[in-house]
Structures are given as C-alpha cells and as structure tokens.
Amino acid sequence: MRKKNGTAGYLFFLPGFLFFAVFILYPLIRNFLYSFYDFRLTDLNHLEFIGLGNYRHVFQDHVFWISLKNIFIYGIISVPGQMVLGFLVAYALYQNRPGTKTFRVLFFLPVITSWVVASLIFKFVFTDQGYLNYFIMDVLHFTDKTISWLSDPGKAMMVVSFLGIWKGVGWAMVIYMAALQGVPKDQYEAASLDGCNAWQQIRHITLPSIRSTTFFIQMMLIIGAFNVFTSIYLITDGGPLHQTEVMLTRMYQKAFTEYDLGYASALSYVFAVIIAGLTFLQFRLNKQE
C-alpha cells in the first residue's frame, strides 16, 4: 500500500517536473552553453567555441558598464520611493474609514495598468512637444525654452524612475496594509497612554512589527528594478547613444538587433550572478540586524 501511494505521488509530481525541465531547466542549460560560443542568429548552423570570450567581451564593453550604472540609478530612486510612499499610503488607509476603499482602488489602478500603456503615456507627457512642456512654457510661463526630458540621459532616467514609482506604490501599499493588520492595536493604545505621538508610535511599534514585510518588499523591488525593460525600451530605446541602456535592453539589442546570441547569453548569466549576489548580501545584512 505504501509503495502504491509513493508511485501515485511521483505520477502527480511528474507533469510539473516535465514542464519545469522542458521550459525552464533545458533553456537555462542551453543558454549557458551558448555563452561559450560565437553563436549568431544570422547563421544558426555555425557554432564556434570561444571559451570565455563572450564574458571578456561583456566586461570590456563600455555600454555594459553604462547599463549597470543606470540600473543602480533606477533602483536607488525607484525602490525607496515605492517603499516610503507605499508605507505612508498604507498607514493612512489601513483603517476602515469612509472613502478609504475608493482611495485603495485608485492607488492600486497603476499596478494593473499595462506597462506599455503607462510607458506611452509618460512618453507623450514628457516628450519635447508633450503636455508637461506645454504646461511649463505656455501655462506657467516658467521658461521659454523646451526642456528635453527624454534627450538628456539624467532627466530620462528620472522620468523612467518616476514611472516605476507610480506603477509600484500600489503594490507596496497592499503588502504593507496586510502587514499592518497584524500589528496588535493594544500596543498603540498603551503607547498613547504613555504620551507617545504618531511618529513615535510608527518608529517604535509599527516599523519593528513589520520588519520582515519591509525586507520582503525591498527584495522584490530590487529584483524588479533589475528587470526594468519595457519603460526604457518604449520611452528612450536606450538612447541617446546608449546612455539610458539597462541590462535587459542591452541584452535584447545584442540578441535581436545585432544577432549576437553568444554575447547575449553571457550577459544574461552575468546579470543573474549580480542579482544573486545582491540577494545574498541582503539576506546577510538582514540576519545581522
């Protein structure tokens, strides 16, 4: 009877494992092997083993370092922005007061909005002939010169980062609201009796109680920041002169514009190692705290 139950368990496990092996494990292994070859889409039958040549090419490519810098800029702006605003909104709305449900829906709407639609809206707003320049120049009369929001690399990264914040605040809000529901209310009542103000209650009660949730949100947002692609691709397309490239746009360009699949494969594994290293570092720092 025990043997039959064991066989039945393996049969239930088999479909999921086959799906994982065919669509995830096999492509990962194949992609890793391609990273050691000169493999191009223009000639799929040509495979020339070059060892670590693609990896050397990645680290010698100045665009790679630009893309890495831009990812950190995007993360430094967007991750704290989403976390701080998400917590503040969640703290303001987690109590069931009149109108809070409506505001919850409004703050969550950007999360379910398509990245393509949101990116095109931001591009329309921030383009040289867009609504923001019209508002600044023709309505407020702050300047008579067009502000190149998307042509300047620094301003363009700010625009993309603000889009990331706008899209992600609602997600962080929902996670924080779920965590806030678990904070015992009697602790707030005791703190109020001791004369603690709202900020002191947040600092000494709320934040320590949701520390694990904050760590989870931070990790997910950092990983999400490294996976930014659609907004960069649609708003700036990596320009001007690759100055707003990030790793995924660089990977896409090398694979499907320059047809260098070997380089793109190597870059994907460098990308994975960086994310794994940051994740490990975050876990170590969280344990030390």
Side-chain angles (χ1 to χ4, degrees):
M1 179 64 71
R2 184 176 297 176
K3 186 175 182 181
K4 288 184 178 180
N5 291 337
T7 303
Y10 283 118
L11 290 176
F12 280 111
F13 170 76
L14 185 60
F17 175 76
L18 288 177
F19 182 88
F20 171 79
V22 172
F23 294 102
I24 298 178
L25 187 59
Y26 174 76
L28 286 174
I29 296 173
R30 194 76 173 179
N31 189 56
F32 181 68
L33 294 176
Y34 284 151
S35 69
F36 297 102
Y37 287 85
D38 181 12
F39 179 43
R40 299 178 180 272
L41 273 177
T42 52
D43 188 3
L44 296 177
N45 295 320
H46 175 73
L47 278 175
E48 180 183 351
F49 182 78
I50 57 174
L52 298 176
N54 284 320
Y55 291 94
R56 285 194 296 269
H57 186 193
V58 167
F59 289 107
Q60 292 171 359
D61 184 6
H62 75 283
V63 180
F64 163 75
W65 296 106
I66 292 174
S67 67
L68 186 61
K69 178 196 71 175
N70 286 336
I71 280 185
F72 279 100
I73 292 174
Y74 178 83
I76 289 170
I77 297 173
S78 66
V79 172
Q82 292 174 76
M83 293 182 67
V84 172
L85 292 177
F87 172 77
L88 292 177
V89 172
Y91 190 80
L93 299 179
Y94 87 99
Q95 296 179 348
N96 290 321
R97 295 177 179 175
T100 55
K101 292 183 179 179
T102 302
F103 281 102
R104 291 175 189 177
V105 173
L106 292 176
F107 276 105
F108 193 74
L109 277 178
V111 179
I112 60 176
T113 302
S114 167
W115 270 104
V116 174
V117 173
S119 299
L120 292 177
I121 291 174
F122 266 65
K123 185 175 182 179
F124 172 76
V125 170
F126 287 95
T127 192
D128 288 355
Q129 290 77 37
Y131 181 77
L132 184 59
N133 274 330
Y134 163 77
F135 186 74
I136 293 174
M137 295 171 59
D138 299 335
V139 178
L140 299 179
H141 302 289
F142 281 164
T143 180
D144 55 355
K145 295 182 180 180
T146 299
I147 301 175
S148 299
W149 296 101
L150 304 181
S151 300
D152 180 82
K155 293 186 179 70
M157 289 306 302
M158 291 288 290
V159 170
V160 175
S161 300
F162 289 150
L163 172 56
I165 294 173
W166 180 76
K167 279 279 292 174
V169 165
W171 178 84
M173 174 199 71
V174 169
I175 306 299
Y176 270 127
M177 286 182 66
L180 288 172
Q181 298 295 333
V183 180
K185 292 185 179 181
D186 57 353
Q187 294 186 13
Y188 292 114
E189 295 172 359
S192 298
L193 293 175
D194 289 338
C196 294
N197 57 33
W199 164 243
Q200 290 172 330
Q201 292 179 24
I202 292 174
R203 180 181 177 185
H204 297 291
I205 298 175
T206 307
L207 293 179
S209 299
I210 61 172
R211 183 170 170 271
S212 59
T213 301
T214 299
F215 175 71
F216 168 76
I217 293 174
Q218 181 184 23
M219 288 306 308
M220 296 302 294
L221 291 180
I222 289 174
I223 294 173
F226 270 80
N227 283 300
V228 61
F229 171 77
T230 305
S231 55
I232 293 286
Y233 182 74
L234 292 177
I235 294 176
T236 67
D237 196 20
L241 300 175
H242 303 290
Q243 293 302 306
T244 58
E245 292 274 13
V246 291
M247 280 196 178
L248 289 186
T249 59
R250 183 58 174 167
M251 199 183 306
Y252 179 88
Q253 181 192 45
K254 294 297 289 188
F256 301 110
T257 302
E258 300 180 21
Y259 308 119
D260 191 350
L261 292 181
Y263 178 100
S265 298
L267 180 56
S268 70
Y269 273 91
V270 172
F271 181 51
V273 169
I274 293 173
I275 293 180
L278 284 174
T279 304
F280 175 77
L281 180 62
Q282 286 292 323
F283 273 103
R284 289 294 299 271
L285 292 175
N286 185 61
K287 286 184 177 179
Q288 290 178 2
E289 292 178 1

